[in-house]
Structure formats: structure tokens, C-alpha cells
Amino acid sequence: MNDTKRSRKLRASRRRRSWFIEYALLLIGALCIAVSFNMLQNPNEIAAGGVTGISIIVREVLGIEPAFTQWALNIPLFVLGLWLLGGQFGLRTAIGSALLPMLVLLTRELPPLTDNLLLASIYGGILVGIGLGLVFRGRGSTGGLDLAAQLVHRYTGLSLGLAVAILDGLVILAAGIVLSPEKAMYALIGLFVTSRTINIVQVGLSYSKVAFIISKHAEDIRSAVLHELDRGVTMLEAKGGYTGEIRTVLMIVVGQTQVNNLKELVKAIDPGAFVILSDTNEVLGEGFKFHGIP
């Protein structure tokens, strides 16, 4: 009985520590994005996609404070996603959707670091990438066009990555029209740097990871991956080298934002599962890159 109580206390302590770390990462990541926005992107009018990019364009046209535009877009998108897609977003997305605009408002008096557009696009992209990478590591989200992309993905069948690229591309196209074609090109540089930095923060230099999972609860893990992560699963038949038993090996390929989610999912179902995570530099097929596109 005492061992059971100690085990429960230990699990509760680990959950509290995990909760603290995840929300700390969400806060620090959102602060990085807000600082980058106010010190590099906003003063140089680099609208590198997303709701923050839209807020720069709206400020130029209507003179509205960017933070207010971000709230005006983030909160309705979250509510719409909650209504159409269910409660998969969770508390972290709700907090992130409100937190980022608040931090943008609180840091708006920070002085610009440079008026060089190239430096602003590169270093702004790096800082935003670090911020988003930390948010993803904390299993959080800052809402915005990521939620809109999930809606497009669900109702059009486009891959999530392509939906994000299209929406960000439309923001940059609008920036080219409203601001200038030159600043739109710098925004593209910033967006590229952000995406590469997120990769580095999340999973190193590789695009994705492939997981091989051996577990006595393979069917439960398979079902959870299909329905909770929305990823495909390949079931391989293997023979144990020592026992000679036939076992099922699950092969799963996940993107940069889902690595931590996969590990937590497997741990919750079978803490004793044998998991191998390996870098993969190129993945072709549903949910990743399209065949025939270089």
C-alpha cells in the first residue's frame, strides 16, 4: 500500500513538473515571437505570414494597433475551430491565442534593433522560429492561421502543410500589394528562416522523424495514432531474436510538431513500449510532400 501511495505521489509530481515546463515553454516562446515582432518585423513592415503578418498590413491600411487585430482574428478562429473540429485544441491553444497579442501589446515600446530589411527578415525569422519551436515543444499553439489551416485541411482534403503554405502565401501576396513587392520578398526570406529554425529547435536538421514501436498494446497505440494524431500507421510483422515470438512493429512517420505528442501518447498507453525514433530527411506521400514536386 505504501509503495502504491509513493508511486501515485511520484506520478503526480511528474505531471506537475511536466505541466510547469510546458506552460513555461509556451510563455517563453510567445515572448520571443512578441519581441521579434516589435523589434524587427513590425518596424520594418515585414509581414512574414500568419496573423502577425496580417496585423502589420491592417496597421498600414487602417492604423489599428497590431495586438488588437491579432486578438480580433485569433479568438474567433479558436471558437470556430472548437465548434467545427471539437475540443482537440485544448487549454494551451486558448491561452496561446490570447497570450501572444497581450505580449505584443506589452512590448510595443521596445526600440527597433535595425532598419536593414535583410537583417530584420533573417533575425526576425530566427527569433520567431525559436519561439514557435519552444511553443511546439511545450505541446502548445499560438493559434492564428494554424487553426485556419486545420479547417482548410479538414474540409478540402489538402495536406496540412500545403494549407499553411497557401494561407501564408496569401498574406505575403497581400503585403506585396499593400506594402511593396520588395518587402514581400523580404517577408518570404523571413518565412523560410522561421520554418528552418522551427525544424532545428524541434527535431534538429531533419524534416521528419520515423518511429518504430514494439508494444504489447500495439492495437491501442495504432488506434490512438490514427484518430488523435491523424497520421498513418504501417504494421510490420517481426520475430524476436531471443524469444522467437512473433510481434507487431508499428512504423509511424510524424512531422516536426508531433514528435512530443507521439512520445506522450505511447507513454500514456504503454510506458514499457520499446520506441526507436530516427531522423528522416525526405518523406513523400499523404500528409508530407506530394509526389512529383521537387
Side-chain angles (χ1 to χ4, degrees):
M1 183 63 71
N2 289 334
D3 289 342
T4 301
K5 288 182 178 179
R6 281 196 295 269
S7 178
R8 288 176 179 173
K9 287 182 179 179
L10 183 60
R11 287 197 297 269
S13 175
R14 287 175 178 172
R15 283 196 296 269
R16 286 193 296 269
R17 184 167 62 249
S18 176
W19 179 91
F20 175 79
I21 291 173
E22 288 170 356
Y23 280 94
L25 288 173
L26 176 59
L27 175 60
I28 295 169
L31 182 60
C32 287
I33 298 169
V35 169
S36 175
F37 179 82
N38 282 315
M39 300 187 76
L40 292 164
Q41 293 180 325
N42 190 37
N44 291 285
E45 296 184 331
I46 298 174
V51 166
T52 54
I54 295 174
S55 69
I56 292 174
I57 298 171
V58 171
R59 187 210 64 195
E60 175 67 19
V61 176
L62 301 176
I64 298 174
E65 182 70 37
F68 298 146
T69 300
Q70 292 166 24
W71 269 318
L73 293 173
N74 274 353
I75 294 176
L77 278 172
F78 175 77
V79 173
L80 184 63
L82 202 61
W83 176 45
L84 294 177
L85 301 179
Q88 60 178 296
F89 300 130
L91 182 61
R92 290 183 185 86
T93 302
I95 292 175
S97 298
L99 178 64
L100 179 58
M102 183 182 72
L103 292 175
V104 167
L105 190 63
L106 292 176
T107 59
R108 62 180 172 174
E109 299 301 328
L110 291 175
L113 286 179
T114 181
D115 59 2
N116 184 297
L117 291 177
L118 181 60
L119 290 177
S121 63
I122 292 175
Y123 285 99
I126 290 173
L127 197 52
V128 169
I130 291 172
L132 287 173
L134 292 175
V135 169
F136 293 154
R137 287 185 70 89
R139 297 193 299 155
S141 169
T142 56
L145 291 191
D146 285 344
L147 299 182
Q150 290 191 47
L151 292 171
V152 172
H153 166 64
R154 172 67 64 87
Y155 290 101
T156 67
L158 292 175
S159 71
L160 188 58
L162 182 59
V164 171
I166 289 173
L167 293 175
D168 282 335
L170 290 174
V171 174
I172 292 175
L173 178 62
I177 296 172
V178 174
L179 302 174
S180 74
E182 182 184 27
K183 289 183 178 179
M185 288 188 284
Y186 282 112
L188 278 172
I189 293 174
L191 185 61
F192 174 78
V193 172
T194 293
S195 67
R196 298 311 302 163
T197 305
I198 292 173
N199 289 347
I200 294 170
V201 173
Q202 278 291 100
V203 292
L205 296 175
S206 64
Y207 176 79
S208 303
K209 281 192 179 286
V210 59
F212 294 94
I213 302 170
I214 303 173
S215 169
K216 294 180 180 179
H217 303 279
E219 181 58 31
D220 293 334
I221 295 174
R222 181 197 69 83
S223 179
V225 169
L226 288 174
H227 296 101
E228 294 182 32
L229 293 188
D230 193 25
R231 283 299 179 198
V233 181
T234 299
M235 303 180 72
L236 309 174
E237 187 174 278
K239 184 177 182 179
Y242 180 74
T243 64
E245 293 179 358
I246 301 299
R247 303 288 294 273
T248 297
V249 179
L250 303 178
M251 185 182 75
I252 305 159
V253 179
V254 292
Q256 59 187 9
T257 65
Q258 294 182 308
V259 175
N260 290 326
N261 292 342
L262 176 63
K263 290 191 290 187
E264 291 294 328
L265 183 150
V266 173
K267 183 179 178 181
I269 296 174
D270 183 9
F274 188 74
V275 181
I276 301 171
L277 280 169
S278 177
D279 291 334
T280 177
N281 291 319
E282 187 173 19
V283 182
L284 302 176
E286 181 71 18
F288 292 92
K289 296 180 182 178
F290 286 103
H291 290 287
I293 297 180

